Amino acid sequence: MADVKISYETVFILSTKLGEEGITSTVQKFKDLIAENGTIDNVDEWGKRRLAYPIHKEEEGYYTLIAFTSSPDFTAELDRIYNITDGVLRSLTVKKEAPEKKPETDKTEEKKEA
């Protein structure tokens, strides 16, 4: 059976109580974990942001978005690791859908309408 690879995006919010060094090491831990089980397409560190509502009496969190490609089985393991890692306030992993292609219209029709 062929190994199916699917594109995903995951975003996680880390507690600012971890400190600069703790945040850096935790982000690197997740990058390494994803790289071992798939391929990383893009890493976007949004940095420290104010939360929409307090989580565990915290007002700020460190946001990181990682786009990656892996097998479907890995996402459940990634969620499990998010849940047992100290300092992770929230996490979300979603499957990226391929963008829908709009049907190309005839350019002569566009000129007639104008």
Side-chain angles (χ1 to χ4, degrees), residues 4 7 11 13-14 22 43 52 57 102 111:
V4 178
S7 293
V11 64
I13 306 170
L14 298 176
V43 177
K57 298 181 182 179
K102 294 182 181 178
K111 290 180 183 177

Side-chain angles (χ1 to χ4, degrees), residues 92-107:
L92 177 68
T93 303
V94 293
K95 179 180 170 183
K96 285 176 36 176
E97 296 291 331
E100 289 185 22
K101 292 184 180 180
K102 294 182 181 178
E104 293 184 26
T105 58
D106 189 13
K107 293 190 180 201

Side-chain angles (χ1 to χ4, degrees), residues 4-73:
V4 178
K5 299 289 184 183
I6 300 174
S7 293
Y8 294 97
E9 282 185 338
T10 184
V11 64
F12 54 93
I13 306 170
L14 298 176
S15 171
T16 55
K17 291 180 180 177
L18 293 174
E20 192 86 20
E21 195 173 295
I23 289 172
T24 305
S25 67
T26 306
V27 169
Q28 189 61 45
K29 169 188 167 181
F30 289 124
K31 284 184 200 176
D32 294 342
L33 177 68
I34 293 169
E36 287 174 13
N37 294 286
T39 57
I40 294 177
D41 302 326
N42 186 25
V43 177
D44 192 9
E45 293 191 31
W46 296 345
K48 192 188 301 186
R49 301 269 175 109
R50 183 168 174 78
L51 299 172
Y53 55 89
I55 302 172
H56 305 297
K57 298 181 182 179
E58 294 192 42
E59 300 286 330
E60 289 185 330
Y62 190 89
Y63 287 71
T64 304
L65 173 76
I66 301 175
F68 65 98
T69 305
S70 73
S71 65
D73 300 337

